[in-house]
Amino acid sequence: MAREAARPGATAMAFAAILSLTPVVAVFAHRGAGVIAVAMGLAAAAHVQVWRTGVRTFLLKPDFTKPLVLGAAAFLLLCAWIALSGAWSPQGNALRLALVVLTPALAAGTVIWRIGRLTPESLRLVAGAYVIVAAVAAAALIFESQSGAFLRAITPPVDASPLRFKDLTAVSRGVTLVTPLLFPALAIVAAQAPSRRGGALAGFAALAALLALGAVKLGVVSNAVALGFGTAAAAAAFFWPRATLNFVLFSYVTFLLVSPFAAAWLPVEAIVGALGESFPASWGQRLFAWREAAQAAFHCLPFGCGADAARALHAAGETVSFQGSILPLAIMPTHPHSVFLQVWMELGAAGALLFGLVIMMGGIALIRVDLPKEVASATAGAGIALLVFFAVEMSIWQFWRLGGLALAAIGVALSYYVNHFSVYKRKERD
């Protein structure tokens, strides 16, 4: 396939323009993350070759000995299972939820395919845009966390919630979105400018530390934990790439297998009683939700309770009171705050098997590539940060979170191809 001319092409400029919206979305409209990912996917999908390659590789002549192809097949079956679960789900939106899961993944795959076919000039443009928007978004969120969301306060509409709760929650969600993007952004800088790696590392470490402090100030500890654990994993992968990536994959599979058994017999009352009022009410509620989801998962085996069944449990109105909660809280929020438990509860053993196969094949495909240490570092850092969110925060039906995952995957791909061209040029000079 002929490459573009020696200047940034239209696709690269479209990617950069769409990515430039990320800081605005992070501060003002975190739910737009999915829209950014899909818009980039549409820009990539304008090339006919994307469709030809995709249909031939994954549908007409699939080679299931390749982990990526097998993982993609498992993912498509998972989306079909989500839609099918609407037949027994108490909710009536299973087909829409299947599309919520499918669309960001297709967009990410299409963009990654297209990135691999950009010229070095186009690649540098997109990679540079990714680094800039990740840094600017992080800096803006740090400012918002320390200023009491000043930018949101001066931008209509006015938040009339008590103590501006909605504005501060939105800023926290922005931190969640940006956290996994910092690791591939750092890898891109390190690959493009190895002589300035120390300065780049220090700069991004300072950004991550300030963002973690901002996350704590906003009251969302999981964001700070994700940054801390992600940084540790990224540092480990720089020195032991393959071992660290194997550990990341092992951690995902372990969480998936162990979560329902650990949560079903969780001594929630004892934990909440022992910690007393020092334990945040939201975390107390989460413990009850985890146990409720795990018990529902066992009750609904083998097919699961159906997509979005947690919302029906929430609508039933069962509440719980405990020390530290001012008012009775729903024993099941609109989702269990754990992707692993939600998959078991709503999609059953079949859904968990397919979900696990997607994770396994995706991880094996990455490990087999023998990623350069900078790229392995980005992958491990973003992977562990996302694992924290998978385990204690997110729902598989949240389009914006899946969009953030897609943007992180795109960043890792950018770091890989930037590293490839940087190594090639260094060899040419030598």
Side-chain angles (χ1 to χ4, degrees):
M1 177 180 173
R3 289 193 176 274
E4 298 167 1
R7 61 181 178 82
T11 302
M13 289 189 283
F15 284 168
I18 296 166
L19 280 171
S20 69
L21 299 174
T22 304
V24 177
V25 165
V27 174
F28 297 105
H30 61 272
R31 289 186 176 87
V35 178
I36 288 178
V38 171
M40 292 183 71
L42 290 173
H47 295 261
V48 176
Q49 190 61 32
V50 173
W51 298 94
R52 290 175 180 168
T53 302
V55 170
R56 182 176 65 251
T57 303
F58 297 108
L59 296 178
L60 296 181
K61 296 181 179 180
D63 181 359
F64 294 121
T65 63
K66 295 181 178 179
L68 186 61
V69 176
L70 182 56
F75 177 75
L76 292 175
L77 286 174
L78 175 63
C79 292
W81 181 253
I82 291 167
L84 182 62
S85 74
W88 58 87
S89 172
Q91 301 291 108
N93 55 351
L95 179 58
R96 181 183 68 81
L97 295 177
L99 292 174
V100 164
V101 175
L102 178 67
T103 309
L106 286 181
T110 305
V111 172
I112 290 168
W113 183 91
R114 188 70 188 103
I115 285 171
R117 284 148 183 81
L118 294 176
T119 62
E121 292 75 17
S122 292
L123 183 63
R124 278 195 292 270
L125 173 67
V126 182
Y130 192 95
V131 171
I132 291 169
V133 300
V136 170
L141 291 165
I142 291 166
F143 174 78
E144 286 292 87
S145 68
Q146 300 304 315
S147 65
F150 173 77
L151 295 176
R152 289 185 65 92
I154 63 173
T155 306
V158 175
D159 179 10
S161 64
L163 300 177
R164 294 182 60 217
F165 172 78
K166 290 183 178 179
D167 270 352
L168 297 178
T169 298
V171 173
S172 296
R173 296 293 179 261
V175 175
T176 302
L177 169 63
V178 170
T179 291
L181 310 189
L182 292 178
F183 300 102
L186 175 58
I188 291 168
V189 174
Q192 284 188 313
S195 62
R196 296 192 291 273
R197 182 176 291 157
L201 178 61
F204 273 86
L207 269 179
L210 291 171
L211 198 60
L213 290 174
V216 172
K217 185 169 184 178
L218 291 166
V220 181
V221 179
S222 58
N223 282 339
V225 172
L227 274 164
F229 283 9
T231 300
F238 193 79
F239 297 101
W240 307 286
R242 186 174 290 271
T244 306
L245 291 176
N246 275 301
F247 172 77
V248 173
L249 177 57
F250 173 79
S251 299
Y252 271 89
V253 174
T254 301
F255 266 91
L256 178 62
L257 294 177
V258 171
S259 288
F261 300 97
W265 291 281
L266 198 64
V268 178
E269 289 81 4
I271 295 172
V272 173
L275 293 174
E277 294 185 2
S278 63
F279 196 52
S282 61
W283 280 93
Q285 182 190 29
R286 201 157 302 186
L287 292 178
F288 280 100
W290 289 346
R291 186 174 66 182
E292 189 77 7
Q295 291 177 351
F298 284 112
H299 177 74
C300 292
L301 282 175
F303 301 121
C305 304
D308 213 21
R311 193 176 298 273
L313 281 180
H314 174 76
E318 186 178 354
T319 61
V320 62
S321 296
F322 52 88
Q323 189 176 6
S325 65
I326 300 173
L327 298 171
L329 299 173
I331 200 168
M332 175 58 71
T334 54
H335 61 86
H337 288 273
S338 168
V339 167
F340 303 111
L341 288 172
Q342 186 173 35
V343 167
W344 276 103
M345 174 190 170
E346 299 185 353
L347 303 178
L353 175 64
L354 291 169
F355 186 71
L357 192 58
V358 172
I359 293 172
M360 282 289 294
M361 292 303 104
I364 291 171
L366 281 170
I367 292 167
R368 284 187 180 179
V369 172
D370 194 21
L371 299 174
K373 60 185 179 181
E374 293 90 350
V375 185
S377 180
T379 305
I384 287 295
L386 288 165
L387 176 62
V388 172
F389 299 139
F390 269 57
V392 303
E393 275 285 347
M394 69 181 276
S395 163
I396 196 174
W397 315 133
Q398 291 176 310
F399 185 59
W400 72 270
R401 289 187 186 268
L402 298 178
L405 195 161
L407 292 176
I410 289 167
V412 170
L414 283 167
S415 72
Y416 175 80
Y417 287 109
V418 165
N419 183 84
H420 171 78
F421 282 121
S422 297
V423 170
Y424 179 75
K425 284 195 169 185
R426 287 199 294 272
K427 286 181 178 178
E428 275 192 334
R429 287 196 297 271
D430 294 341

